[in-house]
Amino acid sequence: MNQGLLLRFENLVQLRGTCRQLRALSSRKVCGARWKPVELSAHPVGSLLLHPHLWPKHRLISGALSQCRHLATKEETKKKKKKIPLTKGEVEIRQKMTVEELAQAMGKDIDHIYEVLLYTDINLDSVEPDSILREDHIKMIVQKSGMKYKSAKLKEEKERKNTDAVKRPPADPAVLTPRPPVVTILGHVDHGKTTLLDSLRKTQVASMEAGGITQHIGAFIVHMPSGEKITFLDTPGHAAFSAMRARGTNVTDIVILVVAAEDGVMQQTIESIQHAKNSGVPLILAINKCDKPEADPERVKKELLAHDVVCEEFGGDVQAVNISALKGENLMVLAEATVALAEMLELKADATGLVEGTIIESRKDKGKGPLTTAIIQRGTLRKGCVLVAGKTWAKVRFLFNENGEAVDAASPGIPVEIMGWKECPSAGDEILEVESEQRAQEVVAWRTYVEQQEKMKKDLEVIEAKQKEHRLEYEMQQQKLAHLTWRQRKAVLYKANKHLMFSRPKERAEMDENTLSLIVKGDVDGSVEAILNILDSYDCEDECKLDILYFGMGDISENDISLAEAFNEDLKDELNSRLPPTVVETTIGEASVLDTFCVTVGKTKIPVAGCRVHKGLLDRKMKFKLIRNRDVIWKGCLSSLKHHKDDVQVIKMGMDCGLSLDKNLEFSIGDEIICYEEKEIQQTTSWDPGF
């Protein structure tokens, strides 16, 4: 065999052995062992390459060391990953999180979340920092941000014990005692309800009312000559106060329906009848203003037949009394009819034990704080009693009658004003007495908790419905882009939505035009409620949006005045001022095209119409339109207007003229030329608040 080939084979074998030694060295980690140095000058480079046993050992060591370090680094990194849990870039998520909560958990800005949401089925216009995101969206946002997620450990919340206060069981009939009847006076606005009460209790209530219309419920006791007591509730008759009238009938025993003899049955009359029927309360008909010459009580009785109110003389069970509240005629007859009906009803109540009642009205007083007018229905209310109503409670400090005089106690059927509430309860809330202040706080906490749970449930239903709607829109959008590649789809979606990234939700809300901000302040809870009910009926959001900034009770403060200074008109006028103006065209003159021809200007032929003005005048400064077969085919300004080859500004009725509009526009004989003026006219809202 060739000696050169043998030499090469020997070199390869030695090289293989050297490699094995290097691997063994690395695995045993004996990199620090020292080798004997070899004289480099004794061997030429060529021989070193051919004879591995002559290679410098320090080079082998450095190569082995670098390989050892490289292998050791990888191994240590792997071990570190196994031993140390990954905390950086790992986000703890829950099933439902708000945008703000997710941003905080990720350590990112809210804008980062919005940017990622551009590629989802969520509509960014509806996303606020407190908007709740679904779990699949949360995971997608975290993943697209280059992070990992882990589910948070949910604390198992024990079912909360119901600590609400409830009414007592029905009382033993043996402990029941007679009580005064609670009578509500209902009827149409300005039919004389307050004047009737004024005459009954000999005070001037009507003169104190704003505009002569009762603004909220007044509760009074009328002492009859025979010794009986009657508790009267005076409810507003204005259309806005329907809810207050309904509350009055819910706590009443008898309804006196006041109808003016000269007006007859009106809108709130019918509504009052319906409230009485819904509450199952008997009616007494008081036909008022019978002293007027135009009074017709018989017509009133016949009109009421259409609403199932049948008077005794027509075979029904409704007592009818003709009165004049202003002159005091037949008022005792009406009172006696009320007492007689109350005796038939055998009204009794339990005056012992824990108190039960109903809030008729609530208000805030500067010196006394929150005050409520209430009707006691069971038990006897005294100073020191602890009461719960709605989501607030009170330790009774003082009790006042309808004249503002302090009293020691209030028994069933008696109206009373209560001082000592922590906050104003809502009118219509049920009053329950509890054993202690601690018990009252437990009841309020439970009711607040229940309300929060119900609100969360409703919010989630709304959110899920919205998300479903947006998901469908997103899927439809994806179908339209199905022919594109995924990169093209992302680019199109980003381009369409990127403008939303640069405006935060609050800024986007401020971009909404035609929004009227309102502050609602009232003397009592019922008045505020009535105004809010009116605003709820607003149905012209496309014209101008309403934004209620604040509503509450109490006296008007300087802060309220400064906030409302901008609104020195009434609500409807303010809405009208917010509407964009509409452009109206006013015709100045009309002309007919009698002939057509062309003139040459330079190298351009310009069509010209020979016209005669048959109505008004043509003014070159105004705008013109060309009508052909009743269709408007052109609008704009004149290029020229001539009379007998002279340029003119105005052509009057009966005169002929030549005019040109557009060089590319051809005229036809019989065309109509209309000269008109554009004017901006302020729009008016179609909403009627009913004030």
Side-chain angles (χ1 to χ4, degrees), residues 315-334:
D317 56 358
V318 176
Q319 299 179 72
V321 182
N322 297 343
I323 65 170
S324 172
L326 188 61
K327 294 185 177 180
E329 296 176 357
N330 279 348
L331 296 189
M332 292 312 299
V333 176
L334 178 62

Side-chain angles (χ1 to χ4, degrees), residues 627-644:
I627 298 178
R628 182 176 297 157
N629 298 325
R630 298 183 179 180
D631 293 329
V632 178
I633 62 174
W634 179 88
K635 278 187 174 185
C637 298
L638 290 183
S639 298
S640 65
L641 179 63
K642 295 193 176 186
H643 179 63
H644 297 310

Side-chain angles (χ1 to χ4, degrees), residues 225-295:
S226 56
E228 289 92 351
K229 294 180 182 177
I230 304 176
T231 297
F232 281 99
L233 301 182
D234 180 21
T235 62
H238 193 280
F241 297 93
S242 173
M244 295 171 70
R245 286 193 294 279
R247 276 203 303 277
T249 54
N250 287 338
V251 297
T252 198
D253 303 308
I254 299 169
V255 166
I256 294 180
L257 181 65
V258 179
V259 184
E262 83 279 20
D263 290 340
V265 176
M266 304 293 282
Q267 179 184 348
Q268 276 76 60
T269 309
I270 299 170
E271 186 189 276
S272 299
I273 294 170
Q274 195 59 48
H275 285 319
K277 287 181 178 179
N278 293 341
S279 301
V281 178
L283 279 171
I284 294 177
L285 176 61
I287 304 176
N288 195 19
K289 304 184 181 180
C290 289
D291 56 313
K292 291 191 174 183
E294 61 271 25

Side-chain angles (χ1 to χ4, degrees), residues 27 70 99 163 167 277 284 374 439 470 517 571 611 616 633:
S27 61
H70 180 65
V99 173
T163 57
K167 285 185 174 182
K277 287 181 178 179
I284 294 177
R439 176 74 179 108
H470 295 152
S517 299
L571 176 59
C611 305
I633 62 174

Side-chain angles (χ1 to χ4, degrees), residues 79-112:
K79 288 181 179 179
K80 284 181 181 178
K81 284 185 178 179
K82 289 179 182 177
K83 291 180 180 179
I84 303 173
L86 181 64
T87 55
K88 187 177 181 181
E90 192 171 47
V91 183
E92 191 175 82
I93 65 171
R94 301 191 303 275
Q95 199 169 18
K96 288 183 174 67
M97 298 177 74
T98 65
V99 173
E100 191 172 15
E101 289 172 346
L102 181 58
Q104 290 176 354
M106 294 174 64
K108 301 282 187 181
D109 189 77
I110 290 180
D111 288 338
H112 173 81

Side-chain angles (χ1 to χ4, degrees), residues 292-341:
K292 291 191 174 183
E294 61 271 25
D296 188 356
E298 295 303 316
R299 179 174 68 89
V300 173
K301 296 175 185 177
K302 290 175 182 177
E303 288 178 353
L304 288 171
L305 290 173
H307 304 286
D308 296 328
V309 177
V310 184
C311 297
E312 290 178 337
E313 59 190 86
F314 294 132
D317 56 358
V318 176
Q319 299 179 72
V321 182
N322 297 343
I323 65 170
S324 172
L326 188 61
K327 294 185 177 180
E329 296 176 357
N330 279 348
L331 296 189
M332 292 312 299
V333 176
L334 178 62
E336 289 169 1
T338 304
V339 172
L341 182 56

